[in-house]
Amino acid sequence: MRIKAIQAPLATAAALFLLLLLGGCQQGDSLDQVRAEGELRVVTRNSPTTYYQDRNGPTGFEYALASLLARDLGVELRIEPEFSLDAIFRKLRRSEAHLAAAGLTLTAQRMNEFPHSQPYYQFSPQVIYVAGTARPRELADLTDKDIVVLAGSSHAESLYALQQGGLDNLAWREVEEPDSTGLLEMVATRQAHFALTDSNEFEVQQGLYPRLRVAFDLGDEQQLVWFLPPDGDNHRLIQRINALFSRLEDSGEMKKLRELHFGHATGVSRMGSHTFSRNVNSKLPRFRELIRQVASEYQMDWELLAAISYQESHWNPLATSPTGVRGMMMLTLPTARELGVENRLDPGQSLRGGARYLKNIKRRLPSDITDPDLTWFAMAAYNVGMGHLEDARVITQRQGGDPDLWADVKKRLPLLQQSKYYQNTRYGYARGSEPVTYVQNIRHYYNVLQWEGISQNKPRPPVNTDDYLPTAIRSSRLSAL
Protein backbone atom coordinates (compact mmCIF):
# COMPACT_ATOMS: atom_id res chain seq x y z
CA MET A 1 0.00 0.00 0.00
CA ARG A 2 1.43 3.36 -1.04
CA ILE A 3 -0.03 6.77 -0.12
CA LYS A 4 -0.57 8.88 -3.22
CA ALA A 5 -0.43 12.67 -3.44
CA ILE A 6 -3.68 14.44 -2.46
CA GLN A 7 -4.89 17.52 -4.32
CA ALA A 8 -5.09 20.83 -2.34
CA PRO A 9 -6.97 22.15 -0.51
CA LEU A 10 -7.79 18.73 0.98
CA ALA A 11 -4.13 17.78 1.19
CA THR A 12 -3.43 19.70 4.41
CA ALA A 13 -6.46 18.33 6.20
CA ALA A 14 -5.77 14.80 5.05
CA ALA A 15 -2.13 15.02 6.06
CA LEU A 16 -3.06 16.29 9.52
CA PHE A 17 -5.56 13.46 9.90
CA LEU A 18 -2.93 10.91 8.89
CA LEU A 19 -0.39 12.34 11.34
CA LEU A 20 -2.95 12.23 14.13
CA LEU A 21 -3.83 8.67 13.22
CA LEU A 22 -0.22 7.55 13.19
CA GLY A 23 0.56 9.42 16.37
CA GLY A 24 -2.38 7.84 18.13
CA CYS A 25 -1.27 4.38 17.08
CA GLN A 26 2.28 4.66 18.37
CA GLN A 27 1.34 3.50 21.86
CA GLY A 28 -1.98 1.95 20.87
CA ASP A 29 -3.13 -1.10 18.98
CA SER A 30 -0.25 -2.54 16.96
CA LEU A 31 -2.53 -4.03 14.29
CA ASP A 32 -3.99 -0.57 13.59
CA GLN A 33 -0.45 0.80 13.48
CA VAL A 34 0.62 -1.74 10.85
CA ARG A 35 -2.38 -0.91 8.69
CA ALA A 36 -1.92 2.84 9.08
CA GLU A 37 1.74 2.62 8.06
CA GLY A 38 0.92 0.28 5.18
CA GLU A 39 3.82 -2.02 5.96
CA LEU A 40 4.78 -4.80 8.34
CA ARG A 41 8.27 -4.24 9.76
CA VAL A 42 9.90 -7.55 10.67
CA VAL A 43 13.32 -7.92 12.27
CA THR A 44 15.05 -11.22 11.57
CA ARG A 45 18.43 -12.92 11.25
CA ASN A 46 20.42 -13.32 8.06
CA SER A 47 20.83 -17.09 7.99
CA PRO A 48 19.93 -20.12 5.83
CA THR A 49 17.06 -21.09 8.14
CA THR A 50 15.49 -17.65 8.50
CA TYR A 51 16.10 -15.04 5.77
CA TYR A 52 18.70 -14.39 3.10
CA GLN A 53 18.99 -12.93 -0.37
CA ASP A 54 19.86 -15.00 -3.38
CA ARG A 55 20.21 -13.77 -6.95
CA ASN A 56 16.42 -13.74 -7.35
CA GLY A 57 15.63 -11.81 -4.19
CA PRO A 58 14.66 -12.58 -0.61
CA THR A 59 13.94 -16.12 0.60
CA GLY A 60 14.05 -18.29 3.74
CA PHE A 61 11.53 -20.01 6.02
CA GLU A 62 10.88 -17.03 8.30
CA TYR A 63 10.67 -14.74 5.30
CA ALA A 64 8.06 -17.02 3.74
CA LEU A 65 5.90 -16.91 6.88
CA ALA A 66 6.28 -13.14 7.24
CA SER A 67 5.31 -12.69 3.58
CA LEU A 68 2.11 -14.63 4.16
CA LEU A 69 1.24 -12.50 7.20
CA ALA A 70 1.84 -9.26 5.27
CA ARG A 71 -0.32 -10.57 2.46
CA ASP A 72 -3.02 -11.56 4.95
CA LEU A 73 -2.99 -8.04 6.44
CA GLY A 74 -2.98 -6.37 3.02
CA VAL A 75 0.26 -4.46 3.61
CA GLU A 76 3.80 -4.49 2.26
CA LEU A 77 6.58 -6.39 4.02
CA ARG A 78 9.72 -4.64 5.19
CA ILE A 79 12.49 -6.96 6.31
CA GLU A 80 15.14 -5.52 8.61
CA PRO A 81 17.95 -8.05 9.14
CA GLU A 82 20.14 -7.91 12.22
CA PHE A 83 23.29 -9.89 12.76
CA SER A 84 23.04 -10.80 16.44
CA LEU A 85 20.29 -11.93 18.79
CA ASP A 86 20.99 -9.03 21.13
CA ALA A 87 20.38 -6.58 18.28
CA ILE A 88 17.05 -8.24 17.46
CA PHE A 89 15.72 -7.92 21.01
CA ARG A 90 17.12 -4.40 21.34
CA LYS A 91 15.08 -3.42 18.29
CA LEU A 92 11.97 -4.90 19.86
CA ARG A 93 12.51 -3.07 23.13
CA ARG A 94 12.70 0.20 21.19
CA SER A 95 9.56 -0.70 19.22
CA GLU A 96 11.52 -0.29 15.98
CA ALA A 97 9.84 -3.38 14.50
CA HIS A 98 6.34 -4.79 14.72
CA LEU A 99 7.64 -8.30 15.40
CA ALA A 100 10.73 -10.53 15.40
CA ALA A 101 10.57 -13.61 13.16
CA ALA A 102 14.03 -15.06 13.51
CA GLY A 103 13.97 -18.67 14.66
CA LEU A 104 13.75 -17.59 18.30
CA THR A 105 13.26 -20.04 21.16
CA LEU A 106 10.57 -19.54 23.76
CA THR A 107 12.36 -19.28 27.12
CA ALA A 108 11.10 -18.26 30.55
CA GLN A 109 13.23 -15.12 30.50
CA ARG A 110 11.96 -14.00 27.09
CA MET A 111 8.39 -14.96 27.96
CA ASN A 112 8.44 -12.63 30.95
CA GLU A 113 9.58 -9.65 28.86
CA PHE A 114 8.03 -10.04 25.40
CA PRO A 115 4.54 -10.92 24.12
CA HIS A 116 4.74 -13.85 21.71
CA SER A 117 2.83 -15.96 19.22
CA GLN A 118 1.87 -19.57 19.55
CA PRO A 119 4.68 -22.03 18.64
CA TYR A 120 5.10 -22.87 14.96
CA TYR A 121 8.14 -25.17 14.98
CA GLN A 122 9.86 -27.59 17.36
CA PHE A 123 13.52 -28.55 17.49
CA SER A 124 16.12 -30.05 19.80
CA PRO A 125 19.21 -28.26 21.16
CA GLN A 126 22.26 -30.33 20.23
CA VAL A 127 25.92 -30.66 21.23
CA ILE A 128 28.13 -30.73 18.11
CA TYR A 129 31.64 -32.20 17.92
CA VAL A 130 34.21 -33.29 15.31
CA ALA A 131 34.04 -36.92 14.19
CA GLY A 132 37.23 -38.75 15.17
CA THR A 133 37.64 -36.88 18.44
CA ALA A 134 36.34 -37.99 21.82
CA ARG A 135 32.56 -37.90 21.70
CA PRO A 136 30.87 -36.34 24.74
CA ARG A 137 28.07 -38.62 25.92
CA GLU A 138 26.72 -36.84 28.99
CA LEU A 139 26.72 -33.46 30.70
CA ALA A 140 29.81 -34.28 32.77
CA ASP A 141 31.81 -34.64 29.52
CA LEU A 142 31.20 -30.95 28.78
CA THR A 143 33.08 -29.69 31.82
CA ASP A 144 36.56 -28.24 31.39
CA LYS A 145 35.95 -27.93 27.65
CA ASP A 146 35.75 -24.95 25.32
CA ILE A 147 32.09 -24.60 24.28
CA VAL A 148 30.77 -21.90 21.93
CA VAL A 149 27.19 -20.59 21.72
CA LEU A 150 25.49 -17.63 20.10
CA ALA A 151 25.52 -14.53 22.27
CA GLY A 152 22.15 -13.95 23.91
CA SER A 153 20.83 -17.36 22.83
CA SER A 154 18.65 -19.81 24.72
CA HIS A 155 21.70 -22.12 24.77
CA ALA A 156 23.61 -19.61 26.88
CA GLU A 157 20.67 -19.55 29.29
CA SER A 158 20.65 -23.36 29.44
CA LEU A 159 24.37 -23.56 30.19
CA TYR A 160 24.02 -20.93 32.92
CA ALA A 161 21.22 -22.97 34.51
CA LEU A 162 23.38 -26.11 34.40
CA GLN A 163 26.29 -24.24 35.92
CA GLN A 164 24.12 -22.94 38.74
CA GLY A 165 22.76 -26.45 39.21
CA GLY A 166 26.12 -27.92 40.10
CA LEU A 167 28.30 -28.18 36.99
CA ASP A 168 30.86 -25.74 38.39
CA ASN A 169 33.52 -26.44 35.76
CA LEU A 170 31.17 -25.70 32.88
CA ALA A 171 32.42 -22.75 30.82
CA TRP A 172 31.48 -21.32 27.45
CA ARG A 173 32.07 -18.45 25.06
CA GLU A 174 29.25 -16.36 23.62
CA VAL A 175 29.98 -15.47 20.00
CA GLU A 176 28.34 -12.52 18.21
CA GLU A 177 27.05 -14.19 15.04
CA PRO A 178 23.68 -14.11 13.23
CA ASP A 179 23.48 -17.91 13.12
CA SER A 180 25.38 -21.06 14.03
CA THR A 181 27.58 -21.16 10.90
CA GLY A 182 30.36 -19.32 12.72
CA LEU A 183 30.11 -21.72 15.66
CA LEU A 184 30.33 -24.77 13.40
CA GLU A 185 33.33 -23.25 11.65
CA MET A 186 35.08 -22.81 15.01
CA VAL A 187 34.51 -26.46 15.94
CA ALA A 188 35.48 -27.72 12.48
CA THR A 189 38.77 -25.78 12.60
CA ARG A 190 39.47 -26.89 16.21
CA GLN A 191 39.07 -23.38 17.64
CA ALA A 192 36.56 -24.85 20.10
CA HIS A 193 35.74 -28.32 21.38
CA PHE A 194 31.95 -28.20 21.10
CA ALA A 195 29.13 -26.00 19.87
CA LEU A 196 25.51 -25.81 20.96
CA THR A 197 23.07 -25.29 18.13
CA ASP A 198 19.48 -26.02 17.12
CA SER A 199 18.78 -29.28 15.32
CA ASN A 200 17.12 -27.56 12.35
CA GLU A 201 20.09 -25.23 11.83
CA PHE A 202 22.60 -28.06 12.06
CA GLU A 203 20.67 -30.22 9.58
CA VAL A 204 20.63 -27.42 7.02
CA GLN A 205 24.31 -26.54 7.44
CA GLN A 206 25.91 -29.92 8.03
CA GLY A 207 26.62 -30.24 4.32
CA LEU A 208 29.16 -27.44 4.71
CA TYR A 209 30.82 -29.26 7.62
CA PRO A 210 30.59 -33.01 6.88
CA ARG A 211 33.03 -33.94 9.65
CA LEU A 212 30.79 -32.51 12.36
CA ARG A 213 28.36 -34.78 14.18
CA VAL A 214 25.71 -34.64 16.89
CA ALA A 215 26.96 -35.87 20.27
CA PHE A 216 23.62 -35.77 22.10
CA ASP A 217 20.53 -33.62 22.58
CA LEU A 218 20.84 -31.14 25.42
CA GLY A 219 17.55 -31.11 27.28
CA ASP A 220 13.98 -31.32 26.07
CA GLU A 221 12.55 -30.30 22.72
CA GLN A 222 12.07 -26.54 22.45
CA GLN A 223 9.63 -24.32 20.55
CA LEU A 224 10.05 -21.42 18.17
CA VAL A 225 7.76 -18.38 18.39
CA TRP A 226 7.53 -14.83 17.08
CA PHE A 227 8.12 -12.09 19.63
CA LEU A 228 6.55 -8.61 19.72
CA PRO A 229 7.56 -5.32 21.43
CA PRO A 230 6.86 -5.18 25.18
CA ASP A 231 5.09 -1.79 24.88
CA GLY A 232 1.75 -1.21 23.23
CA ASP A 233 -1.33 -3.32 22.69
CA ASN A 234 -0.31 -6.43 20.69
CA HIS A 235 -3.34 -8.57 21.46
CA ARG A 236 -5.11 -8.29 18.07
CA LEU A 237 -1.91 -8.65 16.04
CA ILE A 238 -0.99 -11.79 17.98
CA GLN A 239 -4.48 -13.13 17.28
CA ARG A 240 -3.94 -12.62 13.54
CA ILE A 241 -0.52 -14.32 13.68
CA ASN A 242 -1.91 -17.28 15.62
CA ALA A 243 -4.85 -17.59 13.24
CA LEU A 244 -2.43 -17.65 10.30
CA PHE A 245 -0.25 -20.33 11.91
CA SER A 246 -3.33 -22.45 12.70
CA ARG A 247 -4.64 -22.16 9.13
CA LEU A 248 -1.24 -23.12 7.72
CA GLU A 249 -1.04 -26.16 9.99
CA ASP A 250 -4.62 -27.29 9.31
CA SER A 251 -4.31 -26.89 5.53
CA GLY A 252 -0.93 -28.60 5.33
CA GLU A 253 0.76 -25.44 3.99
CA MET A 254 3.08 -25.23 6.99
CA LYS A 255 4.26 -28.76 6.27
CA LYS A 256 4.92 -27.78 2.65
CA LEU A 257 6.95 -24.74 3.73
CA ARG A 258 9.05 -26.86 6.07
CA GLU A 259 9.63 -29.38 3.27
CA LEU A 260 10.55 -26.59 0.87
CA HIS A 261 13.10 -24.94 3.13
CA PHE A 262 14.39 -27.83 5.26
CA GLY A 263 13.49 -31.01 3.32
CA HIS A 264 16.78 -31.11 1.44
CA ALA A 265 18.73 -31.59 4.68
CA THR A 266 17.58 -35.11 5.53
CA GLY A 267 18.61 -38.47 4.15
CA VAL A 268 22.15 -37.61 2.96
CA SER A 269 24.92 -39.66 4.54
CA ARG A 270 27.79 -37.98 6.36
CA MET A 271 30.27 -39.80 4.14
CA GLY A 272 28.41 -38.62 1.05
CA SER A 273 28.56 -35.02 2.28
CA HIS A 274 32.25 -35.34 3.05
CA THR A 275 33.03 -36.75 -0.42
CA PHE A 276 30.97 -34.01 -2.04
CA SER A 277 32.83 -31.35 -0.08
CA ARG A 278 36.18 -32.75 -1.27
CA ASN A 279 35.03 -32.85 -4.89
CA VAL A 280 33.76 -29.27 -4.76
CA ASN A 281 37.34 -28.23 -4.10
CA SER A 282 39.15 -30.74 -6.33
CA LYS A 283 36.92 -31.37 -9.36
CA LEU A 284 34.32 -28.63 -9.68
CA PRO A 285 36.74 -25.75 -10.49
CA ARG A 286 37.63 -27.46 -13.79
CA PHE A 287 33.98 -27.54 -14.95
CA ARG A 288 32.43 -24.59 -13.11
CA GLU A 289 32.46 -22.12 -16.00
CA LEU A 290 31.19 -24.70 -18.49
CA ILE A 291 28.33 -25.63 -16.14
CA ARG A 292 27.53 -21.93 -15.68
CA GLN A 293 27.44 -21.41 -19.45
CA VAL A 294 25.17 -24.40 -20.15
CA ALA A 295 22.87 -23.51 -17.24
CA SER A 296 22.53 -19.99 -18.61
CA GLU A 297 21.60 -21.36 -22.05
CA TYR A 298 18.79 -23.42 -20.50
CA GLN A 299 17.71 -20.75 -17.96
CA MET A 300 18.41 -22.78 -14.86
CA ASP A 301 20.56 -22.31 -11.78
CA TRP A 302 24.11 -23.45 -12.40
CA GLU A 303 24.14 -24.91 -8.87
CA LEU A 304 21.22 -27.17 -9.81
CA LEU A 305 22.92 -28.41 -12.99
CA ALA A 306 26.14 -28.89 -11.01
CA ALA A 307 24.26 -30.90 -8.36
CA ILE A 308 22.61 -33.15 -10.96
CA SER A 309 25.85 -33.78 -12.84
CA TYR A 310 27.62 -34.56 -9.56
CA GLN A 311 24.93 -37.05 -8.58
CA GLU A 312 25.17 -38.66 -12.01
CA SER A 313 28.95 -38.91 -12.47
CA HIS A 314 30.77 -37.11 -9.65
CA TRP A 315 31.83 -34.64 -12.39
CA ASN A 316 33.63 -37.36 -14.32
CA PRO A 317 33.11 -36.80 -18.09
CA LEU A 318 34.39 -40.33 -18.83
CA ALA A 319 32.09 -42.10 -16.39
CA THR A 320 30.59 -45.37 -17.65
CA SER A 321 28.11 -47.67 -15.91
CA PRO A 322 27.75 -51.47 -16.39
CA THR A 323 24.45 -50.79 -18.18
CA GLY A 324 26.11 -48.60 -20.80
CA VAL A 325 25.11 -45.08 -19.72
CA ARG A 326 28.05 -42.71 -20.12
CA GLY A 327 29.37 -39.22 -19.58
CA MET A 328 28.91 -36.31 -17.23
CA MET A 329 25.10 -36.67 -17.25
CA MET A 330 25.14 -40.47 -17.76
CA LEU A 331 22.99 -40.58 -20.90
CA THR A 332 21.90 -43.81 -22.56
CA LEU A 333 22.83 -44.19 -26.22
CA PRO A 334 19.20 -43.97 -27.48
CA THR A 335 18.56 -40.88 -25.33
CA ALA A 336 21.76 -39.24 -26.57
CA ARG A 337 20.75 -39.87 -30.20
CA GLU A 338 17.27 -38.47 -29.54
CA LEU A 339 18.81 -35.33 -28.04
CA GLY A 340 21.36 -34.87 -30.80
CA VAL A 341 24.35 -35.69 -28.60
CA GLU A 342 27.05 -37.10 -30.87
CA ASN A 343 29.71 -37.70 -28.21
CA ARG A 344 28.48 -38.58 -24.72
CA LEU A 345 32.02 -38.23 -23.34
CA ASP A 346 32.21 -34.58 -24.34
CA PRO A 347 31.27 -32.71 -21.14
CA GLY A 348 29.63 -29.80 -22.96
CA GLN A 349 27.48 -32.07 -25.13
CA SER A 350 26.58 -34.24 -22.16
CA LEU A 351 25.56 -31.28 -19.98
CA ARG A 352 23.46 -29.76 -22.76
CA GLY A 353 21.84 -33.12 -23.48
CA GLY A 354 20.99 -33.67 -19.81
CA ALA A 355 19.59 -30.16 -19.38
CA ARG A 356 17.50 -30.56 -22.55
CA TYR A 357 16.24 -33.96 -21.43
CA LEU A 358 15.18 -32.62 -18.03
CA LYS A 359 13.39 -29.73 -19.70
CA ASN A 360 11.54 -32.16 -21.97
CA ILE A 361 10.42 -34.22 -18.98
CA LYS A 362 9.07 -31.13 -17.25
CA ARG A 363 6.98 -30.31 -20.31
CA ARG A 364 5.46 -33.81 -20.24
CA LEU A 365 4.43 -33.67 -16.58
CA PRO A 366 0.87 -32.54 -15.67
CA SER A 367 0.36 -28.78 -15.65
CA ASP A 368 -1.12 -28.97 -12.13
CA ILE A 369 2.36 -29.67 -10.73
CA THR A 370 4.19 -26.44 -9.94
CA ASP A 371 7.76 -25.66 -9.01
CA PRO A 372 9.74 -26.54 -7.05
CA ASP A 373 7.83 -29.87 -6.94
CA LEU A 374 7.84 -29.94 -10.75
CA THR A 375 11.65 -29.99 -10.77
CA TRP A 376 11.84 -32.75 -8.14
CA PHE A 377 9.33 -34.84 -10.12
CA ALA A 378 11.31 -34.31 -13.33
CA MET A 379 14.51 -35.45 -11.63
CA ALA A 380 12.76 -38.53 -10.25
CA ALA A 381 11.51 -39.36 -13.76
CA TYR A 382 15.05 -38.76 -15.08
CA ASN A 383 16.14 -41.52 -12.71
CA VAL A 384 13.30 -44.06 -12.68
CA GLY A 385 11.26 -43.20 -15.79
CA MET A 386 7.95 -41.40 -16.38
CA GLY A 387 5.89 -44.59 -16.19
CA HIS A 388 7.02 -45.61 -12.72
CA LEU A 389 6.66 -42.05 -11.47
CA GLU A 390 3.07 -42.03 -12.70
CA ASP A 391 2.43 -45.35 -10.94
CA ALA A 392 3.65 -43.81 -7.67
CA ARG A 393 1.37 -40.80 -8.24
CA VAL A 394 -1.60 -43.14 -8.72
CA ILE A 395 -0.76 -44.98 -5.47
CA THR A 396 -0.44 -41.64 -3.71
CA GLN A 397 -3.91 -40.60 -4.84
CA ARG A 398 -5.40 -43.97 -3.83
CA GLN A 399 -3.98 -43.54 -0.33
CA GLY A 400 -5.39 -40.04 0.09
CA GLY A 401 -2.17 -38.13 -0.62
CA ASP A 402 -1.62 -35.33 -3.09
CA PRO A 403 -0.14 -36.73 -6.33
CA ASP A 404 1.11 -33.26 -7.27
CA LEU A 405 3.30 -32.87 -4.16
CA TRP A 406 6.77 -34.38 -4.06
CA ALA A 407 6.59 -34.71 -0.26
CA ASP A 408 3.63 -37.12 -0.65
CA VAL A 409 4.78 -39.03 -3.73
CA LYS A 410 8.30 -39.69 -2.42
CA LYS A 411 6.73 -41.69 0.43
CA ARG A 412 5.01 -43.97 -2.10
CA LEU A 413 7.80 -44.53 -4.61
CA PRO A 414 9.47 -47.22 -2.44
CA LEU A 415 6.16 -49.14 -2.46
CA LEU A 416 6.90 -50.03 -6.10
CA GLN A 417 9.34 -52.60 -4.67
CA GLN A 418 6.54 -54.47 -2.86
CA SER A 419 4.50 -56.98 -4.87
CA LYS A 420 1.17 -56.11 -3.25
CA TYR A 421 1.55 -52.64 -4.72
CA TYR A 422 3.43 -53.03 -7.99
CA GLN A 423 1.26 -55.93 -9.22
CA ASN A 424 -1.61 -53.47 -9.42
CA THR A 425 0.30 -50.81 -11.37
CA ARG A 426 0.66 -50.30 -15.09
CA TYR A 427 4.46 -50.50 -15.26
CA GLY A 428 5.10 -52.99 -12.46
CA TYR A 429 8.17 -53.37 -10.28
CA ALA A 430 10.70 -50.55 -9.86
CA ARG A 431 13.50 -49.85 -7.41
CA GLY A 432 11.43 -46.98 -6.06
CA SER A 433 13.72 -46.02 -3.21
CA GLU A 434 16.45 -45.04 -5.68
CA PRO A 435 14.75 -41.94 -7.16
CA VAL A 436 13.92 -40.77 -3.64
CA THR A 437 17.59 -40.93 -2.66
CA TYR A 438 18.56 -39.48 -6.04
CA VAL A 439 16.36 -36.38 -5.65
CA GLN A 440 17.25 -35.95 -1.98
CA ASN A 441 20.97 -35.99 -2.73
CA ILE A 442 20.59 -33.46 -5.53
CA ARG A 443 18.52 -31.14 -3.33
CA HIS A 444 21.21 -31.37 -0.67
CA TYR A 445 24.10 -30.68 -3.06
CA TYR A 446 22.12 -27.86 -4.70
CA ASN A 447 21.48 -26.11 -1.37
CA VAL A 448 25.06 -26.56 -0.19
CA LEU A 449 26.37 -24.93 -3.38
CA GLN A 450 23.83 -22.13 -3.12
CA TRP A 451 24.50 -21.32 0.52
CA GLU A 452 28.26 -21.57 0.02
CA GLY A 453 28.02 -18.83 -2.62
CA ILE A 454 25.58 -16.68 -0.63
CA SER A 455 27.57 -16.90 2.60
CA GLN A 456 30.60 -15.42 0.87
CA ASN A 457 28.69 -12.21 0.12
CA LYS A 458 28.52 -9.30 2.54
CA PRO A 459 25.22 -8.80 4.42
CA ARG A 460 22.72 -6.73 2.52
CA PRO A 461 20.82 -3.71 3.91
CA PRO A 462 17.08 -3.80 4.76
CA VAL A 463 14.84 -4.31 1.76
CA ASN A 464 11.26 -3.46 0.87
CA THR A 465 9.41 -6.31 -0.83
CA ASP A 466 6.04 -6.57 -2.57
CA ASP A 467 3.45 -8.79 -0.96
CA TYR A 468 3.78 -11.79 -3.25
CA LEU A 469 3.61 -15.43 -2.28
CA PRO A 470 6.89 -16.89 -1.01
CA THR A 471 6.45 -19.97 -3.19
CA ALA A 472 6.68 -17.69 -6.20
CA ILE A 473 9.98 -16.40 -4.93
CA ARG A 474 11.50 -19.84 -4.50
CA SER A 475 10.10 -21.31 -7.68
CA SER A 476 10.96 -18.40 -9.99
CA ARG A 477 14.52 -19.61 -10.51
CA LEU A 478 13.33 -23.13 -11.28
CA SER A 479 10.23 -22.55 -13.41
CA ALA A 480 12.15 -21.63 -16.57
CA LEU A 481 13.94 -24.99 -16.68
Side-chain angles (χ1 to χ4, degrees):
M1 180 187 298
R2 290 181 173 85
I3 301 171
K4 298 180 179 180
I6 305 173
Q7 297 293 322
L10 296 178
T12 303
L16 287 173
F17 174 77
L18 182 60
L19 287 173
L20 288 172
L21 178 63
L22 291 175
C25 290
Q26 290 302 314
Q27 299 300 324
D29 184 273
S30 56
L31 181 58
D32 286 340
Q33 181 182 348
V34 169
R35 286 171 169 163
E37 294 178 3
E39 68 176 16
L40 179 69
R41 285 180 282 115
V42 176
V43 60
T44 188
R45 292 186 292 157
N46 184 229
S47 82
T49 57
T50 53
Y51 158 82
Y52 60 93
Q53 293 249 5
D54 65 16
R55 67 178 61 83
N56 295 295
T59 187
F61 181 65
E62 297 286 357
Y63 173 78
L65 290 179
S67 297
L68 289 174
L69 178 61
R71 182 173 182 267
D72 184 59
L73 298 178
V75 298
E76 293 183 2
L77 174 63
R78 179 178 175 83
I79 292 289
E80 300 185 358
E82 290 291 347
F83 302 100
S84 73
L85 295 175
D86 288 339
I88 288 173
F89 287 111
R90 186 163 55 248
K91 204 152 196 167
L92 280 187
R93 292 186 185 97
R94 295 172 179 173
S95 296
E96 294 174 354
H98 298 122
L99 60 92
L104 301 171
T105 308
L106 182 62
T107 67
Q109 181 176 330
R110 292 171 181 173
M111 189 187 309
N112 290 333
E113 183 176 3
F114 299 99
H116 61 85
S117 71
Q118 69 186 35
Y120 60 94
Y121 198 80
Q122 288 77 40
F123 69 93
S124 300
Q126 295 179 327
V127 178
I128 307 301
Y129 77 110
V130 178
T133 63
R135 174 186 174 184
R137 299 182 180 275
E138 57 185 18
L139 290 175
D141 295 335
L142 302 181
T143 58
D144 296 316
K145 299 294 184 180
D146 184 15
I147 306 170
V148 289
V149 299
L150 293 181
S153 67
S154 60
H155 305 309
E157 293 183 31
S158 298
L159 290 176
Y160 179 75
L162 290 172
Q163 187 186 63
Q164 296 300 109
L167 287 178
D168 298 334
N169 293 334
L170 190 64
W172 62 93
R173 286 185 283 156
E174 297 193 25
V175 181
E176 290 282 351
E177 291 280 352
D179 76 307
S180 58
T181 305
L183 307 182
L184 300 179
E185 178 71 23
M186 293 178 71
V187 176
T189 56
R190 311 299 176 91
Q191 299 176 56
H193 292 113
F194 311 127
L196 287 189
T197 185
D198 300 337
S199 56
N200 62 323
E201 289 201 7
F202 182 63
E203 284 181 359
V204 169
Q205 300 179 85
Q206 188 177 16
L208 294 173
Y209 305 99
R211 288 188 57 79
L212 299 187
R213 300 187 69 179
V214 177
F216 60 89
D217 291 351
L218 186 70
D220 298 328
E221 193 173 67
Q222 298 184 3
Q223 297 175 320
L224 299 185
V225 299
W226 284 357
F227 289 102
L228 290 84
D231 297 327
D233 181 2
N234 296 296
H235 180 68
R236 291 175 62 227
L237 182 55
I238 290 176
Q239 282 185 326
R240 292 297 293 266
I241 295 170
N242 290 345
L244 173 66
F245 288 169
S246 295
R247 288 199 307 272
L248 292 175
E249 288 288 356
D250 294 342
S251 68
E253 287 299 315
M254 186 72 82
K255 178 182 176 182
K256 294 178 187 177
L257 286 173
R258 293 185 187 120
E259 163 67 19
L260 177 65
H261 293 281
F262 304 129
H264 63 88
T266 58
V268 180
S269 70
R270 185 175 63 87
M271 181 57 67
S273 292
H274 182 60
T275 303
F276 176 69
S277 181
R278 284 206 321 265
N279 285 321
V280 166
N281 295 321
S282 62
K283 291 185 178 181
L284 181 58
R286 177 185 170 192
F287 300 106
R288 191 189 307 266
E289 289 309 310
L290 176 60
I291 294 173
R292 285 181 185 272
Q293 178 183 331
V294 174
S296 177
E297 293 171 8
Y298 287 88
Q299 296 180 296
M300 62 188 294
D301 278 357
W302 79 266
E303 296 98 334
L304 180 62
L305 184 57
I308 296 172
S309 56
Y310 178 79
Q311 174 64 26
E312 288 290 342
S313 67
H314 284 207
W315 297 316
N316 177 11
L318 304 181
T320 302
S321 82
T323 58
V325 293
R326 306 188 74 185
M328 186 84 83
M329 296 292 282
M330 298 298 277
L331 302 174
T332 66
L333 185 57
T335 299
R337 288 171 176 166
E338 179 185 339
L339 296 168
V341 175
E342 297 178 356
N343 182 2
R344 289 182 290 166
L345 302 185
D346 179 280
Q349 290 189 40
S350 184
L351 287 166
R352 288 181 176 89
R356 193 178 307 122
Y357 185 50
L358 194 62
K359 185 175 181 179
N360 291 343
I361 293 175
K362 291 186 75 170
R363 288 173 176 163
R364 294 167 56 195
L365 286 166
S367 58
D368 291 340
I369 304 175
T370 59
D371 263 318
D373 295 84
L374 180 60
T375 298
W376 313 146
F377 277 118
M379 292 193 303
Y382 191 109
N383 177 263
V384 77
M386 287 286 291
H388 293 306
L389 177 65
E390 184 58 28
D391 284 345
R393 294 181 67 241
V394 170
I395 294 173
T396 301
Q397 190 167 36
R398 288 173 181 168
Q399 295 185 346
D402 189 337
D404 297 338
L405 287 182
W406 173 247
D408 286 0
V409 175
K410 75 176 182 180
K411 297 176 183 176
R412 276 77 179 191
L413 272 163
L415 298 181
L416 297 177
Q417 299 173 196
Q418 300 180 29
S419 61
K420 69 177 180 178
Y421 292 102
Y422 70 70
Q423 66 182 344
N424 296 314
T425 64
R426 181 177 180 181
Y427 293 94
Y429 171 83
R431 291 181 294 187
S433 59
E434 290 187 5
V436 176
T437 302
Y438 179 87
V439 174
Q440 202 68 2
N441 285 347
I442 291 172
R443 291 182 64 184
H444 174 72
Y445 303 145
Y446 173 47
N447 279 271
V448 168
L449 288 171
Q450 275 203 315
W451 182 247
E452 209 168 32
I454 292 167
S455 63
Q456 293 172 1
N457 297 331
K458 293 182 179 179
R460 302 191 181 203
V463 296
N464 280 314
T465 61
D466 294 328
D467 56 338
Y468 49 85
L469 283 172
T471 50
I473 302 164
R474 173 60 74 174
S475 64
S476 63
R477 63 173 177 264
L478 297 173
S479 58
L481 178 58

